[in-house]
Amino acid sequence: MNWTDTTHRYSLSNCQYLGRPCPAAERMLSRLTTALGQARTVTTDDFEIAGNCELTACDRPCQARFSASHDRIRIYCGISPEADQGSLDQFADALFCQGADSRPITRLPEYPCGLAQALPLRPQPGPTPTPLQSVPA
């Protein structure tokens, strides 16, 4: 599922247990984007927060990991706190088609049952205005 609001472009994969995007991950993603937006004026560009939580969208407890910065927010559903972050990022990059890096994905000891991502909207570069030139009269 993909959508865009006034600040971010969102992507959620289907949860392999629900068969649709996880509503708890969607709510968490929305709250993290709001929190980072509010923190923008009092944090630096390299600010990041990460942690583990439990999502409750169904009768199955789901451990999740999140990482949030002003550049990207991701939630990895169904992942233990010990999972390797670099491998998870590489897996998410491949799923969300981030970058042109074509290296093979490392085999993970555990795969997320769902992923969520929010990327901030950046102003698109427009055409450079042509400078006005004076014409002799």
Side-chain angles (χ1 to χ4, degrees), residues 39-64:
R40 185 68 161 141
T41 59
V42 294
T43 57
T44 60
D45 287 342
D46 62 348
F47 175 78
E48 185 174 347
I49 186 169
N52 297 295
C53 62
E54 184 173 317
L55 299 176
T56 54
C58 59
D59 54 355
R60 182 183 192 294
C62 180
Q63 292 296 314

Side-chain angles (χ1 to χ4, degrees), residues 30-117:
S30 176
R31 289 187 176 120
L32 283 169
T33 58
T34 299
L36 277 173
Q38 292 171 345
R40 185 68 161 141
T41 59
V42 294
T43 57
T44 60
D45 287 342
D46 62 348
F47 175 78
E48 185 174 347
I49 186 169
N52 297 295
C53 62
E54 184 173 317
L55 299 176
T56 54
C58 59
D59 54 355
R60 182 183 192 294
C62 180
Q63 292 296 314
R65 178 183 295 171
F66 65 90
S67 62
S69 70
H70 294 300
D71 293 326
R72 179 181 73 198
I73 300 169
R74 281 190 176 158
I75 302 170
Y76 306 87
C77 305
I79 289 296
S80 70
E82 298 81 27
D84 176 62
Q85 186 66 46
S87 296
L88 290 172
D89 284 337
Q90 188 180 2
F91 180 76
D93 287 346
L95 180 73
F96 292 130
C97 300
Q98 294 293 139
D101 190 0
S102 61
R103 62 186 174 178
I105 297 173
T106 307
R107 179 147 175 83
L108 299 174
E110 59 181 315
Y111 290 89
C113 63
L115 290 168
Q117 174 176 273

